[in-house]
Amino acid sequence: MGLKRRNKAEAGFNMSSMTDIVFLLLIFFMLTSTVVRPSAIKLTLPQSQSQTSVAPLTRVVIDKDLNHFVAFGNEKDRPIALEEIEAYLKSVELAEPEMKVVLYADETVPHGEVVKILNIANQNKFKLVIATRPMK
C-alpha cells in the first residue's frame, strides 16, 4: 500500500505580521516626534530645589541678549517687543480663559527684566510660573 503524505511542513517564514508591527511602530514614532518641541533658544535656567509641574500653555522667553519671545501651546517661539507682550497675553487669554504663563528667563538676565514680566502678569491677574532647572 503506497500512501503518500500530503501535508508537508513549509520551510518558509511569513513576514506579513512583522511588516504590520514595523508599520505600526513607524506611525507611533511619527506621531510622537511631532509632540516633542525642541527649543531653538539656548537658555541656562536658574536652579531650584522645588519643581512645579504645570502644563505650559503660554511661554514668555527672555534670552541672555534680552530678546523676548512668546509662544502659545505647541507653536514655535516668535520674537516680540516688550511693549507688545501684554497685548499678546490678553489676546491669548480671550481664547484660553484659564491661561497659565511660564516665564523662561536665562540666569544671566538682570532682575529688572524679569520683574517687568511679573508686573505685566500681576496687573492682568495672569497665573505665572517661573521655569527653573532642578538642583543636582
Side-chain angles (χ1 to χ4, degrees), residues 107-124:
E107 68 182 356
T108 60
V109 170
H111 187 68
E113 292 296 317
V114 174
V115 171
K116 290 177 186 176
I117 304 298
L118 292 173
N119 285 337
I120 291 172
N122 189 30
Q123 290 170 357
N124 295 289

Side-chain angles (χ1 to χ4, degrees), residues 14-53:
N14 190 356
M15 292 289 291
S16 63
S17 60
M18 182 69 80
T19 56
D20 290 344
I21 291 172
V22 170
F23 184 67
L24 288 173
L25 285 173
L26 178 68
I27 291 173
F28 172 77
F29 288 121
M30 286 173 53
L31 290 176
T32 56
S33 67
T34 59
V35 174
V36 176
R37 179 179 34 91
S39 178
I41 304 168
K42 296 290 183 192
L43 293 179
T44 306
L45 294 174
Q47 291 185 343
S48 172
Q49 289 183 353
S50 62
Q51 296 291 312
T52 303
S53 60

Side-chain angles (χ1 to χ4, degrees), residues 30-102:
M30 286 173 53
L31 290 176
T32 56
S33 67
T34 59
V35 174
V36 176
R37 179 179 34 91
S39 178
I41 304 168
K42 296 290 183 192
L43 293 179
T44 306
L45 294 174
Q47 291 185 343
S48 172
Q49 289 183 353
S50 62
Q51 296 291 312
T52 303
S53 60
V54 66
L57 295 177
T58 306
R59 294 181 306 282
V60 177
V61 179
I62 307 173
D63 66 3
K64 64 181 178 181
D65 299 323
L66 302 182
N67 298 318
H68 296 80
F69 300 88
V70 291
F72 177 68
N74 289 331
E75 67 184 28
K76 185 179 176 186
D77 294 333
R78 63 182 181 93
I80 192 169
L82 176 64
E83 299 80 25
E84 298 172 0
I85 291 177
E86 185 173 4
Y88 175 81
L89 293 176
K90 284 182 179 180
S91 68
V92 171
E93 185 187 31
L94 293 175
E96 184 64 44
E98 291 297 318
M99 176 185 69
K100 294 175 181 66
V101 180
V102 179

